[in-house]
Amino acid sequence: MTSGTGRAAGHRAYADYTGGVYGSLLAASVIVGAGTLGSFPRLEMVLLLLLTGGVFWIAHVHAQLFGTRLAQRTPDRHVVLRACREEWTIVKAAVPPAAAVAVSPVLGLGVQATQWFALSVAVAGQVGWSAAAARRAGAGRRLMALSAAVNLVLGLVILSCKLWLKH
């Protein structure tokens, strides 16, 4: 693909941030789920977030390679690497909440406050990834705002689940 249109389409595929939206929602869900089971040591929560992101990344790469592409042709090295790169935002989305957990002792946060902090970072990431995805897709400001608002509502649903599960 050497045409300008082909390069632009390839760039859009590479810059697809929808995995980040999914990964942030996944991280928020992990934080809520882990938080309802009791107090986790911080290192365990950091590892849980990163490993869950990694497992879901592998699952998405697998689904992409063997769900649609295998029916068309056997994936070669370039196709596999492209699928890994396209889905990498799922893992990248787990890093900020994991970092929030890791730095929480420096901020003087207890376990409960750490969970809320990490959850807030995950929801903020989800909103940010959705706005970035809409922008990369060429959406106007209204559609970007709508995408961010929908993802904020989804994040608030996760926050509500944490509150509901604690009572």
Side-chain angles (χ1 to χ4, degrees):
M1 280 191 200
T2 57
S3 71
T5 306
R7 278 195 305 269
H11 179 69
R12 272 194 305 275
Y14 177 74
D16 184 0
Y17 297 149
T18 54
V21 173
Y22 179 79
S24 295
L25 185 60
L26 173 65
S29 299
V30 167
I31 294 163
V32 168
T36 61
L37 298 176
S39 299
F40 277 23
R42 286 175 175 87
L43 179 59
E44 197 172 325
M45 179 70 83
V46 168
L47 291 173
L48 184 62
L49 284 163
L50 296 175
L51 292 173
T52 302
V55 168
F56 274 76
W57 169 67
I58 292 167
H60 275 249
V61 169
H62 176 269
Q64 190 179 104
L65 290 174
F66 296 99
T68 57
R69 292 187 178 164
L70 190 60
Q72 298 167 3
R73 64 184 172 114
T74 304
D76 61 21
R77 181 175 162 265
H78 297 291
V79 170
V80 171
L81 291 175
R82 185 179 324 125
C84 289
R85 188 174 52 244
E86 288 173 358
E87 298 296 339
W88 188 244
T89 53
I90 293 172
V91 176
K92 285 170 59 174
V95 172
V101 172
V103 302
S104 66
V106 175
L107 301 173
L109 300 177
V111 174
Q112 186 72 8
T114 295
Q115 291 172 352
W116 280 108
F117 178 48
L119 188 55
S120 299
V121 168
V123 171
Q126 181 182 339
V127 171
W129 283 110
S130 70
R135 188 173 132 244
R136 283 288 186 169
R141 288 187 179 159
R142 258 192 190 160
L143 194 52
M144 284 175 48
L146 177 63
S147 177
V150 166
N151 278 280
L152 179 58
V153 168
L154 290 173
L156 292 174
V157 168
I158 295 293
L159 289 169
S160 299
C161 288
K162 179 168 177 50
L163 289 171
W164 179 72
L165 289 171
K166 282 295 185 183
H167 292 99

